[in-house]
Amino acid sequence: MNRNLKRHPIIARTINKFAHALSFHHLFYDFAPLLRRLLSKSLRFMDSLFFSYDDNNYDDNDVVSFDHSFSDPGESLFLVSYRWWKEAVCGGRISGVDIDSGVLYSTNVQLNESRGEWDMDIGGFGESEILLGMRREGGAGTSGQEEDEEEEEDEDRVSSQGDFSLVSEWMFLTALKWHYDRTGVGNLLNEGDSAHDLFSLQIRLLYAWESNLLIIKISQKDNEIGAFNRAYSIFCTKSRMLQIWDFSGQTNHLFVNDRKMDSDQSNEILLQLQIYGLSCAVKDKEMRKDDMLVEQSRIDGPSSSASLLMNGCQDKVNLFSGVQPSFSVGRGYYGTYALGLTGLYNLGNTCFMNSAIQCLVHTPKLVNYFLGNFRKDLNFENPLGMNGKLAVAFGDLLRKLWAAGETPVAPRLFKSIISSFAPQFSGYNQHDSQEFLAFLLDGLHEDLNRVKSKPYIQAKDEEGRPDEEVADEYWENHLSRNDSIIVDLCQGQYRSTLVCPVCRKLSVTFDPFMYLSLPLPSTTLRKMTLTVLSIYGTTLPHPVTITVPNNGSFKDLVEALGKACSLRDDETLIIAEIYHNSIFRILEDSDDLIELIRDDDRLVAYRLPKDVNESPLVAFEHQQEDKSYFHSFQKFGIPLVARMFDLSKESEIHKEFLKLINPFLLPCEEFLNDDDASQKIDHDNEQMEDIVLNGVANTDDKSAFNLDAHNDFEFHLCEPSSPKKPTKLVVTWPEKMIQDCDTSILNLLPEVCNPALAPKWAQESISLYKCVDAFLKEEPLGPEDMWYCPNCKEHRQASKKLDLWRLPEILVIHLKRFSYSRFFKNKLETFVDFPIDNFDLSNYVIHKNNKVSHRYMLYAVSNHYGGMGGGHYTAFAKHGLDRWYEFDDSHVFPVTEDQIKTRAAYVLFYKRI
């Protein structure tokens, strides 16, 4: 608020004067909470009016300062039907609220109307106002009395259960969700249902000390004519005293508990009141019956009854004119009213964030929590959190997404807050939705951690104790430091066992987990196509298709290709990846995984004799003159490879190259075989001396060797030889040789695999249970993860075994589709067949507890389409009992259950059955 006051000095001075006046009055402590709430709302409105601090226009560069005012939420006040509210409370949904906890107010209603001049701006008499005189009657002791159905349907009878209820925003949202859920099938509200009827009224509150009344003034000059008329239809058409129950607890601040207020200290307070589901409840017959009474009241003019005596002055400045509620209830995109079917605008590569958010905001118990009074759990003291900012930003975003009929939301403010917590998500680059989800859940946990001071706990050795005892001790120690809704719903526990390979020392720990990252084991074989070339000059390049294990290594690839080519014992294969007509890399590490080879890679296998002397490898790359540009060259074809120990003789280079291109010569040309080529070389050698190629030359080097300017080749040494890369010689082809050779064959280089052309039956498919098996499989630790054995006193490459011990209510499963190496990132397009209705992990949990179910039902999926370079994220979410929807950024549309299972499934969300 300090920042807001600095922005509005005039308001600040007014507030200071008002606070100074109240500080000397004995009622200040009763009035302060409501005043603080009012001022907070006023300043937030002024910020939104002048500085536009909202989700729809917030920028990452804006700095938002939060203080601990979140502990006093200052939520909107709602007026709803008492019967509608009681149904939700008695249904058990409103946690911490009892139907007997309200405060009853008997309310007189009066319509006052000035006979001033006609106000063209508001379309009527500007001084017309509705007065509600509320007298406190005490607790809601009679509210629990049950009435039969005939009494409830009798609108003319004075109900002992009251007419209206005042509730806070979280109470209203929770009740709205309860009514929405109980509709059952479809969960779409009919257009004529009164539950859509929400509108805002600007009201003036003051306390009439002479009559001990709380006065609510609804003035026509403060509201639009439509809103004022709707208020008139609600309050002024009843011919009896109204009963209003306050469950928000906010009106208590305006009563003085046997104290008197000085008349010169009372002021009207401007507030915004949200009215929900009441306009449509007014029956036409009741309106007709009460018309004469209302008209008589208007003719008689203002009442002089002492029960409506007011003191103080009116503030003619209405700062709240035109303010819209924090959310709206209106017509949905599909012509019906629905909750939770709101999209999120893509702010620029933020589909990863939108996908994860939509999965979380369709997690049932998480939705109920954030629609409810989640602010009571905000932790402002946790140095690992965001002082409540992240939880509040997420809660506000969730409430907007669960407002009926909302248009798509732009989550700019939320993105800025999460970027402050995890700076790697700042900017507008594409990110991993699972990585984002992990940071978000961790941040929400820290902001909502109910543990204010984390105790230090010394871990104990298992010392042969039963696993049950050790696991419970680990879990209790964890909960003593971590206690939040995220822990309640999303965290489980697994047992980790390490075994020393030398002394067999056993180490057992029980660690919490937020999600399971499952590998994708291969159960089928992968078909790969490579182009094979021979250095003998006898065969043309030809494709060879082989089948290899998808989880195999480059060694498996070479062995399978050798068998397919009938490789002799004195031969070897060198496999290279070709990119832009050059050798990009040699696949020389036999332990690298085949999955690092992408489907769109282009691989060439060179068939060479085994070289005992290890002569350097030479790669001939081809280029021809580009006639469209002066002195410009264009590369083409597959590089040809040979072994040459001496590159000092041009004649030897030329001879070796002619041998390599011999298969490409057309039959009618001069060079039909090796003998013809050798004769031509010998003739050239008689006329010139060998030229030594020294250093590195560019392709436009004027000193380059030229045997025959009309029909021969130029060779340019571009890269010196190195242990891991071949020496590159760029060959410039003359025009005549382009015509004499079939160079089109050199350009035939198929992809390793084209998934679009692969038959459907050949696509790999594995069960989600197989992924769980692979995750729990015992395996040795990597060289970089050596374990220090306390018995051997040395680091050992121990074997590790994971077991599921305690499963959470919400089970998040991450499918490890992305793999990484020194050079490449690759995505596995494996189809995972995951259960939807019954994912049973009973056989995988080693701690048997018959009281807890280990069966789960799918309710959301985060999908990733495309490759590593870009791609796009969407989400599937189950809405209601049996309907699925796809959330593609701002677009939301229904899908069938058959469409849920795709190769794009990346993060799965299950809830316990």
Side-chain angles (χ1 to χ4, degrees):
M1 186 180 295
N2 292 333
R3 181 199 65 175
N4 294 331
L5 291 176
K6 292 178 180 179
R7 285 182 175 170
H8 311 298
I10 298 177
I11 297 178
R13 288 195 296 270
T14 304
I15 291 172
N16 289 336
K17 290 180 180 180
F18 190 28
H20 179 72
L22 285 178
S23 65
F24 293 99
H25 197 272
H26 56 275
L27 295 178
F28 173 73
Y29 295 102
D30 290 325
F31 203 75
L34 184 60
L35 174 63
R36 182 170 63 253
R37 174 177 175 271
L38 170 63
L39 300 182
S40 177
K41 292 173 66 69
S42 302
L43 294 174
R44 286 202 302 269
F45 165 69
M46 295 302 292
D47 268 347
S48 64
L49 183 62
F50 294 104
F51 296 93
S52 300
Y53 279 87
D54 57 58
D55 276 0
N56 293 324
N57 54 20
Y58 193 83
D59 188 83
D60 270 353
N61 297 323
D62 292 330
V63 178
V64 180
S65 63
F66 287 81
D67 57 26
H68 292 182
S69 60
F70 285 123
S71 60
D72 181 21
E75 296 181 323
S76 299
L77 194 61
F78 284 77
L79 185 69
V80 298
S81 164
Y82 177 84
R83 184 177 303 163
W84 182 86
W85 166 252
K86 180 184 177 182
E87 288 177 353
V89 174
C90 293
R93 171 59 66 88
I94 317 299
S95 177
V97 177
D98 192 288
I99 195 62
D100 296 324
S101 63
V103 177
L104 172 63
Y105 293 94
S106 297
T107 307
N108 288 320
V109 182
Q110 178 180 313
L111 176 67
N112 291 345
E113 185 172 13
S114 170
R115 303 212 177 252
E117 296 181 358
W118 185 268
D119 191 333
M120 296 301 296
D121 293 333
I122 63 174
F125 291 97
E127 298 301 321
S128 298
E129 59 185 12
I130 302 171
L131 304 180
L132 304 180
M134 301 172 58
R135 184 184 301 277
R136 179 170 175 169
E137 300 294 341
T142 60
S143 62
Q145 298 176 1
E146 297 295 332
E147 300 179 8
D148 55 33
E149 295 182 358
E150 294 181 356
E151 288 177 325
E152 290 182 355
E153 294 175 356
D154 187 0
E155 292 289 340
D156 298 330
R157 184 183 179 93
V158 178
S159 172
S160 63
Q161 294 195 0
D163 298 280
F164 309 126
S165 293
L166 280 171
V167 297
S168 60
E169 183 176 334
W170 75 265
M171 296 177 180
F172 165 75
L173 291 172
T174 309
L176 179 65
K177 180 67 163 50
W178 182 85
H179 281 278
Y180 181 70
D181 289 342
R182 70 194 289 256
T183 59
V185 185
N187 279 345
L188 295 177
L189 305 177
N190 297 323
E191 184 176 356
D193 197 318
S194 63
H196 322 307
D197 181 29
L198 181 140
F199 67 99
S200 298
L201 273 181
Q202 310 305 324
I203 66 174
R204 297 171 182 263
L205 283 179
L206 68 156
Y207 180 73
W209 61 270
E210 294 181 356
S211 54
N212 197 30
L213 286 180
L214 174 63
I215 305 299
I216 295 181
K217 296 173 62 176
I218 306 172
S219 176
Q220 189 172 355
K221 69 182 182 61
D222 292 335
N223 295 276
E224 296 181 355
I225 185 64
F228 184 81
N229 288 341
R230 295 173 77 178
Y232 168 82
S233 67
I234 293 172
F235 300 113
C236 297
T237 58
K238 297 183 181 294
S239 59
R240 55 179 172 80
M241 181 177 292
L242 301 178
Q243 289 181 307
I244 299 178
W245 296 95
D246 177 27
F247 291 89
S248 70
Q250 298 186 34
T251 57
N252 287 335
H253 298 306
L254 296 178
F255 281 84
V256 295
N257 297 328
D258 299 329
R259 298 176 182 175
K260 295 288 184 72
M261 294 181 65
D262 296 334
S263 61
D264 59 347
Q265 294 293 330
S266 177
N267 285 274
E268 294 180 350
I269 300 175
L270 290 168
L271 289 177
Q272 186 180 70
L273 179 66
Q274 311 290 336
I275 299 183
Y276 179 78
L278 299 181
S279 294
C280 297
V282 179
K283 304 297 183 181
D284 290 340
K285 63 178 182 178
E286 186 176 29
M287 294 181 64
R288 288 194 298 268
K289 181 185 68 175
D290 291 341
D291 275 346
M292 294 181 63
L293 294 175
V294 174
E295 183 62 26
Q296 183 64 39
S297 171
R298 298 179 61 182
I299 295 175
D300 293 341
S303 172
S304 59
S305 171
S307 64
L308 292 180
L309 284 179
M310 292 168 272
N311 60 305
C313 60
Q314 281 190 327
D315 184 359
K316 298 299 182 181
V317 181
N318 188 351
L319 297 179
F320 294 88
S321 297
V323 181
Q324 296 300 319
S326 59
F327 56 90
S328 62
V329 179
R331 175 178 288 275
Y333 180 77
Y334 306 101
T336 56
Y337 296 87
L339 301 180
L341 297 181
T342 304
L344 286 164
Y345 282 118
N346 192 320
L347 306 178
N349 286 327
T350 56
C351 57
F352 73 95
M353 180 180 75
N354 294 347
S355 173
I357 289 175
Q358 291 291 6
C359 292
L360 284 185
V361 301
H362 286 85
T363 301
K365 289 194 175 182
L366 205 61
V367 173
N368 296 337
Y369 176 82
F370 279 99
L371 288 180
N373 190 19
F374 73 93
R375 296 172 188 250
K376 70 181 186 306
D377 291 335
L378 292 177
N379 190 330
F380 303 110
E381 305 169 8
N382 190 352
L384 301 178
M386 288 284 292
N387 295 326
K389 301 181 216 177
L390 182 59
V392 169
F394 179 79
D396 290 345
L397 180 59
L398 181 144
R399 290 181 174 188
K400 290 181 179 180
L401 294 176
W402 276 89
E406 268 286 4
T407 56
V409 176
R412 290 188 176 92
L413 178 57
F414 172 80
K415 181 182 182 300
S416 176
I417 299 300
I418 187 67
S419 298
S420 299
F421 178 75
Q424 62 268 38
F425 299 116
S426 60
Y428 297 94
N429 294 325
Q430 182 69 281
H431 293 279
D432 188 298
S433 68
Q434 186 273 333
E435 181 185 358
F436 169 83
L437 178 69
F439 277 94
L440 176 56
L441 290 176
D442 183 61
L444 291 176
H445 158 66
E446 298 295 352
D447 266 5
L448 297 169
N449 196 347
R450 304 178 186 104
V451 179
K452 307 306 183 201
S453 178
K454 297 185 178 182
Y456 173 76
I457 299 175
Q458 181 68 40
K460 298 179 181 179
D461 189 38
E462 60 270 16
E463 297 177 349
R465 293 182 293 163
D467 281 349
E468 290 78 6
E469 180 181 341
V470 178
D472 289 344
E473 183 179 274
Y474 269 89
W475 188 248
E476 292 300 324
N477 291 343
H478 175 67
L479 294 184
S480 67
R481 297 173 55 86
N482 303 275
D483 182 15
S484 70
I485 183 65
I486 304 301
V487 174
D488 296 343
L489 295 180
C490 303
Q491 287 197 358
Q493 188 182 32
Y494 59 75
R495 183 179 69 177
S496 176
T497 305
L498 292 175
V499 180
C500 178
V502 178
C503 70
R504 310 307 296 176
K505 168 67 176 177
L506 191 69
S507 175
V508 179
T509 58
F510 293 85
D511 303 311
F513 67 85
M514 189 86 75
Y515 50 86
L516 298 179
S517 289
L518 306 185
L520 304 185
S522 176
T523 57
T524 62
L525 300 176
R526 181 182 182 186
K527 289 187 176 182
M528 304 177 67
T529 301
L530 296 86
T531 301
V532 178
L533 282 89
S534 172
I535 70 167
Y536 305 111
T538 57
T539 58
L540 292 170
H542 58 283
V544 175
T545 300
I546 57 174
T547 303
V548 293
N550 197 38
N551 58 351
S553 63
F554 288 175
K555 181 181 179 181
D556 300 320
L557 174 63
V558 173
E559 291 179 353
L561 191 60
K563 292 180 181 179
C565 297
S566 300
L567 198 69
R568 301 194 307 264
D569 293 338
D570 61 343
E571 291 181 313
T572 186
L573 290 173
I574 293 179
I575 301 177
E577 180 183 349
I578 309 301
Y579 184 72
H580 284 179
N581 307 106
S582 298
I583 293 179
F584 181 71
R585 63 165 179 150
I586 301 291
L587 278 61
E588 56 187 350
D589 192 342
S590 60
D591 293 329
D592 279 352
L593 299 179
I594 289 178
E595 63 184 21
L596 297 177
I597 300 175
R598 297 170 296 187
D599 288 341
D600 57 352
D601 287 344
R602 301 174 189 272
L603 300 183
V604 172
Y606 297 99
R607 185 170 180 172
L608 298 91
K610 289 183 178 179
D611 186 12
V612 179
N613 298 324
E614 296 184 355
S615 299
L617 200 64
V618 178
F620 294 93
E621 297 183 0
H622 319 286
Q623 70 175 13
Q624 61 181 333
E625 186 175 0
D626 188 352
K627 296 182 179 180
S628 59
Y629 296 95
F630 177 72
H631 204 65
S632 177
F633 298 89
Q634 181 179 4
K635 286 188 175 183
F636 69 92
I638 305 170
L640 302 178
V641 168
R643 288 194 181 276
M644 296 186 65
F645 186 78
D646 186 6
L647 296 178
S648 62
K649 293 183 179 182
E650 179 71 17
S651 59
E652 293 298 324
I653 297 175
H654 194 260
K655 179 180 178 179
E656 187 68 28
F657 181 70
L658 289 178
K659 184 174 66 174
L660 292 175
I661 67 170
N662 185 65
F664 302 95
L665 291 172
L666 296 173
C668 60
E669 296 302 322
E670 178 182 359
F671 305 130
L672 296 178
N673 51 51
D674 289 344
D675 294 335
D676 293 334
S678 299
Q679 294 175 6
K680 178 66 169 62
I681 293 296
D682 293 339
H683 175 72
D684 292 335
N685 289 341
E686 293 175 359
Q687 302 182 20
M688 61 179 302
E689 296 179 355
D690 292 338
I691 296 180
V692 179
L693 300 177
N694 296 319
V696 178
N698 295 324
T699 56
D700 58 350
D701 189 354
K702 298 299 183 181
S703 64
F705 192 105
N706 188 348
L707 286 176
D708 189 333
H710 300 288
N711 60 6
D712 222 332
F713 303 91
E714 295 180 3
F715 300 89
H716 306 275
L717 180 65
C718 290
E719 292 183 5
S721 177
S722 65
K724 294 186 178 181
K725 296 187 67 174
T727 300
K728 183 166 70 174
L729 284 171
V730 176
V731 184
T732 303
W733 286 57
E735 183 64 28
K736 184 178 185 305
M737 294 307 298
I738 295 291
Q739 298 175 0
D740 292 345
C741 294
D742 188 1
T743 57
S744 63
I745 299 178
L746 279 173
N747 292 317
L748 296 178
L749 187 59
E751 296 179 347
V752 169
C753 178
N754 189 340
L757 301 179
K760 188 173 183 180
W761 57 266
Q763 295 183 3
E764 184 178 11
S765 175
I766 60 174
S767 167
L768 183 61
Y769 292 105
K770 291 293 184 182
C771 299
V772 178
D773 290 333
F775 175 74
L776 301 178
K777 180 182 179 181
E778 182 176 359
E779 58 184 3
L781 297 176
E784 67 280 359
D785 295 324
M786 301 284 279
W787 173 61
Y788 182 79
C789 176
N791 192 29
C792 297
K793 306 298 182 182
E794 291 185 15
H795 286 88
R796 302 293 191 188
Q797 191 174 5
S799 61
K800 183 176 182 179
K801 176 71 169 67
L802 292 178
D803 294 292
L804 298 179
W805 184 267
R806 189 191 312 266
L807 293 180
E809 185 167 347
I810 300 299
L811 180 62
V812 180
I813 292 181
H814 164 225
L815 302 177
K816 298 175 68 173
R817 292 195 176 276
F818 301 107
S819 56
Y820 306 88
S821 71
R822 293 171 296 174
F823 306 103
F824 290 102
K825 296 184 293 184
N826 188 46
K827 180 188 176 186
L828 301 178
E829 298 287 352
T830 307
F831 176 81
V832 179
D833 187 9
F834 49 87
I836 294 180
D837 295 323
N838 186 15
F839 181 37
D840 192 352
L841 293 174
S842 302
N843 295 330
Y844 293 91
V845 180
I846 61 174
H847 175 51
K848 303 303 180 182
N849 185 350
N850 297 329
K851 297 180 180 180
V852 179
S853 171
H854 298 140
R855 296 167 53 240
Y856 288 85
M857 176 183 295
L858 185 77
Y859 71 88
V861 182
S862 176
N863 303 301
H864 179 270
Y865 299 91
M868 294 292 299
H872 180 62
Y873 287 93
T874 67
F876 292 127
K878 192 172 186 179
H879 191 75
L881 297 179
D882 56 359
R883 293 198 177 192
W884 284 88
Y885 289 84
E886 182 169 7
F887 295 81
D888 186 356
D889 288 332
S890 59
H891 303 287
V892 182
F893 42 87
V895 293
T896 64
E897 189 173 286
D898 296 336
Q899 297 174 274
I900 304 303
K901 294 184 179 183
T902 70
R903 292 197 302 166
Y906 182 44
V907 184
L908 308 175
F909 293 77
Y910 284 92
K911 62 181 178 180
R912 177 180 283 130
I913 299 177

